[in-house]
Amino acid sequence: MRATKRRPVVRLDATGARRARADTLAGEEPLEIRVAGVPYSITMRTPGADFDLVAGFLVSEGLVWHAGQIASIAYGAGVEPDGSRSYNLVEVRLAAGVAPPNPSLSRHVYTSSSCGICGTASIEAVTRASRFAVDGDGLRIRLGELLALSERLRDGQQVFDVTGGVHAAGLFAVSPDGQAALACLREDVGRHNAVDKAIGWALREDRLPLSRTVLQVSGRASFELVQKAYMAGIPALAAVSAPSALAVELAAECGITLVGFSRGASVNVYAGEQRILV
């Protein structure tokens, strides 16, 4: 399975010129997630870093919060219509003593690329508490470093370079003097998937909580992205576009620094201004 696919396209311009060619598009395939042998969710994703995606999804769902709670992640058996092996099923085996998910909270409908909350069985599942606190993290980031993150994220977007059709999420580790270094970058057609892939990488590397980290995303800051940051112990979230009102309320309640329109020479700080060194 590939992150990109070639498809024919006809290009038309205002002069009436017509040119047929092949275009490179972002891949999008369903991924079924099974936990302890039970189907838990199906999400549409760009193939690649699937195990990171699943691990991050489990963190966001509150099922796990450190690497030792997952015994194994593996592709399940299956074949495509052409007879090739399918990579659209991932099975998670939890470590001994880790509680399996509550069947009543399983997502019984497709989770779309644009909205990971759709299909959650109960509203209480959305507002689950994090195992990590973000207050007292000591994170301080220089404004110049913060302003540069969106461009540094864009520079690392290899799939976007050839398709123009994926979101990105980057984890930037911040040093005590306020400098930021890229630790992980992930891309996906779904902004929530890109974040889950980055968080899942951190879980599998046993780096949670991400207490001295800024999460930079390529799109807007939704309520769900703030929630994912909170679940991973990330104290700061920066977005290229605007946040939603509910995202701002959640960030303020949880103590997360939330920045929008993070590009160019200025940013809008909606919560947690104390972490930014001007």
Side-chain angles (χ1 to χ4, degrees):
M1 306 212 31
R2 298 173 58 87
T4 61
K5 295 184 178 182
R6 299 280 286 174
R7 291 291 185 268
V9 62
V10 175
R11 185 175 182 85
L12 304 174
D13 64 28
T15 68
R18 179 185 185 278
R19 183 164 64 94
R21 61 184 180 89
D23 199 6
T24 301
L25 305 177
E28 186 174 24
E29 298 282 344
L31 180 69
E32 180 181 349
I33 301 171
R34 294 183 183 175
V35 181
V38 179
Y40 187 72
S41 179
I42 300 176
T43 187
M44 300 299 296
R45 97 298 188 193
T46 297
D50 288 336
F51 294 171
D52 287 349
L53 170 60
V54 172
F57 176 76
L58 297 184
V59 172
S60 296
E61 292 288 290
L63 297 178
V64 300
W65 50 93
H66 65 78
Q69 293 175 302
I70 297 178
S72 66
I73 302 179
Y75 287 109
V79 295
E80 298 293 336
D82 62 1
S84 61
R85 181 178 178 184
S86 173
Y87 292 93
N88 288 334
L89 169 63
V90 169
E91 297 183 335
V92 179
R93 187 165 61 89
L94 299 175
V98 179
N102 184 339
S104 68
L105 298 181
S106 296
R107 302 187 181 209
H108 298 291
V109 299
Y110 280 89
T111 300
S112 74
S113 302
S114 60
C115 176
I117 291 177
C118 303
T120 304
S122 68
I123 192 65
E124 289 81 7
V126 177
T127 56
R128 60 181 59 86
S130 174
R131 296 280 176 164
F132 308 118
V134 297
D135 55 341
D137 53 272
L139 174 70
R140 297 293 185 273
I141 183 169
R142 296 182 182 278
L143 178 59
E145 289 286 293
L146 183 63
L147 289 169
L149 295 189
S150 60
E151 184 175 347
R152 293 170 64 185
L153 183 76
R154 175 64 188 87
D155 289 343
Q157 289 185 250
Q158 297 180 2
V159 180
F160 185 88
D161 282 342
V162 295
T163 66
V166 292
H167 290 280
L171 297 174
F172 289 85
V174 181
S175 64
D177 65 351
Q179 305 293 317
L182 178 63
C184 176
L185 188 152
R186 293 291 184 263
E187 295 178 275
D188 200 277
V189 287
R191 63 173 64 87
H192 68 288
N193 284 343
V195 171
D196 276 343
K197 286 179 177 181
I199 292 174
W201 167 85
L203 177 81
R204 298 176 71 209
E205 292 289 319
D206 205 16
R207 296 194 180 199
L208 295 189
L210 291 162
S211 56
R212 297 193 59 86
T213 303
V214 176
L215 171 61
Q216 174 73 52
V217 297
S218 59
R220 64 184 179 88
S222 64
F223 168 85
E224 186 188 18
L225 296 195
V226 176
Q227 181 205 15
K228 289 180 183 295
Y230 181 47
M231 296 299 288
I234 299 172
L237 168 61
V240 171
S241 190
S244 68
L246 193 57
V248 173
E249 292 175 24
L250 180 61
E253 180 179 340
C254 296
I256 290 176
T257 296
L258 180 59
V259 170
F261 300 101
S262 178
R263 56 182 185 266
S266 64
V267 296
N268 285 359
V269 183
Y270 294 91
E273 182 185 357
Q274 76 277 3
R275 290 193 177 97
I276 302 173
L277 300 174
V278 178

